[in-house]
Amino acid sequence: MSEPLYDVIAIGNAIVDVMAPCDDADIEQLGLAKGGMTLVDTDRAKELYEAMGPAREISGGSAANTLAGLAALGAKCAFIGQVADDQLGEVFAHDIRAGGIAFDTAARESDPPTARCLIFVTPDGQRTMNTFLGASQFLPATALDDATIAAASILYLEGYLWDPEEPRKAMRRAIAAARNAGRKVAFTLSDAFVISRHGDDFRALIDAGEIDILFANEHELAALTGVEDFHAGLEQLAAKVPTVVVTRSENGAHAVSGGESAHVPAEPIDKVVDTTGAGDLFAAGFLFGHVRGRSLADCLTLGAICAAEIISHYGARPEADLQELVAARLG
């Protein structure tokens, strides 16, 4: 097997996040599901955008956020995702490349426009996401280059993108390319609603041995396994997936890999400002530790450090120097 060109290559939604603070009353008035992620159409996206207060626009998307964290830690990364040939598409492409991440997917010239996620952040730090997937759900399998997929140590896939047909075909092709090259495949379940729609697909991938590293939170774990007891559900998955990583918010995170188990508490933080991207950055820290050969406990700690940094401010991209934070904590 040749030396990898990239540590991680990811396939995910190419989204621009539009974030604004709000009150709980606003959430209720707009009929939003607090703390959840809801897919919206063009008209609903326009309605919610008009209802938002002063907002920040930041390039986002779950897998892209993870790569931003990885790149900030010093990893070599590449991203595959679909934008449109419009202003937000240019913003997304500029931002991700400026972060040191390779991005060569050609922009789509026809409608719909580039995806955006309208995020309402309540005073308790909970984010309520309303996602217009736009161009991102039209990523074709032809946008993939098998040699590029094979050139990464880990292929990282975003569960959110499993919903539309074209990207789902693209990810299946990418899995085959990675496995044929002897590379690892990591998968994040993304959200319980995704599991409700595609759980059978995910369970089939797991049963077929297609997933090497699986990321979930405790709610997604229960949805995937149908087991309410956390430890029983973790044990069930660990029997089928070489490395299982499950986050539990303020209760820390667990991982099982090769018969070894580890748990770390959440990193201390003065105030939770915004939980957007916490799981994405946790995955970044864990994957960075994994590709660098760190212990399972260290991988979890790296994830916890990155997640704590993200929830201390608005937005899902790091603002502090992650390498300095890691050095101070782990040496």
Side-chain angles (χ1 to χ4, degrees):
M1 186 163 49
S2 61
E3 192 69 19
L5 177 63
Y6 300 110
D7 293 308
V8 179
I9 188 168
I11 302 177
N13 282 306
I15 298 177
V16 176
D17 290 338
V18 182
M19 306 180 59
C22 72
D23 296 326
D24 285 323
D26 297 323
I27 297 292
E28 184 175 352
Q29 182 178 353
L30 290 168
L32 304 176
K34 182 178 177 179
M37 199 290 282
T38 304
L39 296 176
V40 298
D41 60 17
T42 306
D43 291 340
R44 179 63 165 161
K46 181 179 179 181
E47 175 191 354
L48 293 175
Y49 183 74
E50 291 176 349
M52 293 180 111
R56 294 175 60 191
E57 294 184 352
I58 311 164
S59 292
S62 176
N65 291 339
T66 296
L67 290 187
L70 276 158
L73 287 165
K76 296 178 67 175
C77 303
F79 179 71
I80 300 168
Q82 188 68 64
V83 297
D85 185 13
D86 57 19
Q87 184 177 359
L88 284 183
E90 291 177 3
V91 168
F92 181 90
H94 173 271
D95 282 1
I96 198 162
R97 290 170 182 152
I101 299 163
F103 175 57
D104 298 318
T105 310
R108 194 169 188 268
E109 295 186 2
S110 57
D111 285 336
T114 296
R116 70 286 314 268
C117 183
L118 308 173
I119 305 173
F120 294 79
V121 185
T122 41
D124 59 0
Q126 281 291 310
R127 79 282 187 273
T128 301
M129 301 185 293
N130 303 271
T131 303
F132 170 63
L133 291 171
S136 68
Q137 59 189 329
F138 292 96
L139 174 73
T142 53
L144 274 61
D145 177 68
D146 290 354
T148 303
I149 299 292
S153 290
I154 296 175
L155 168 67
Y156 180 71
L157 302 174
E158 175 185 328
Y160 281 133
L161 198 56
W162 200 262
D163 208 47
E165 182 178 357
E166 283 192 88
R168 187 163 63 247
K169 290 180 179 177
M171 287 193 283
R172 287 191 184 278
R173 173 176 166 176
I175 290 171
R179 301 207 70 81
N180 288 339
R183 307 303 191 185
K184 290 184 178 180
V185 177
F187 196 97
T188 177
L189 292 171
S190 294
D191 196 287
F193 97 89
V194 179
I195 299 167
S196 70
R197 292 170 62 88
H198 301 289
D200 287 346
D201 273 359
F202 299 161
R203 286 182 281 269
L205 288 172
I206 289 167
D207 289 343
E210 304 284 353
I211 307 300
D212 300 290
I213 305 170
L214 184 69
F215 291 94
N217 64 31
E218 58 186 327
H219 306 296
E220 294 156 5
L221 174 69
L224 185 69
T225 62
V227 178
E228 289 299 323
D229 180 81
F230 174 80
H231 293 287
L234 181 59
E235 183 179 346
Q236 181 186 117
L237 269 189
K240 299 179 178 181
V241 181
T243 300
V244 179
V245 185
V246 185
T247 57
R248 306 186 78 183
S249 300
E250 68 275 10
N251 294 318
H254 295 252
V256 181
S257 182
E260 177 190 358
S261 299
H263 168 261
V264 299
E267 290 289 300
I269 182 173
D270 291 335
K271 181 183 178 182
V272 175
V273 175
D274 169 29
T275 57
T276 307
D280 303 335
L281 269 292
F282 187 95
F286 187 94
L287 288 172
F288 182 77
H290 187 83
V291 296
R292 292 296 185 266
R294 303 291 292 253
S295 69
L296 192 61
D298 277 359
C299 290
L300 288 174
T301 300
L302 279 158
I305 292 168
C306 294
E309 192 282 333
I310 284 300
I311 65 176
S312 69
H313 58 77
Y314 284 110
R317 300 291 172 92
E319 293 184 356
D321 188 322
L322 293 184
Q323 293 185 46
E324 286 188 3
L325 293 176
V326 169
R329 179 72 169 77
L330 291 176

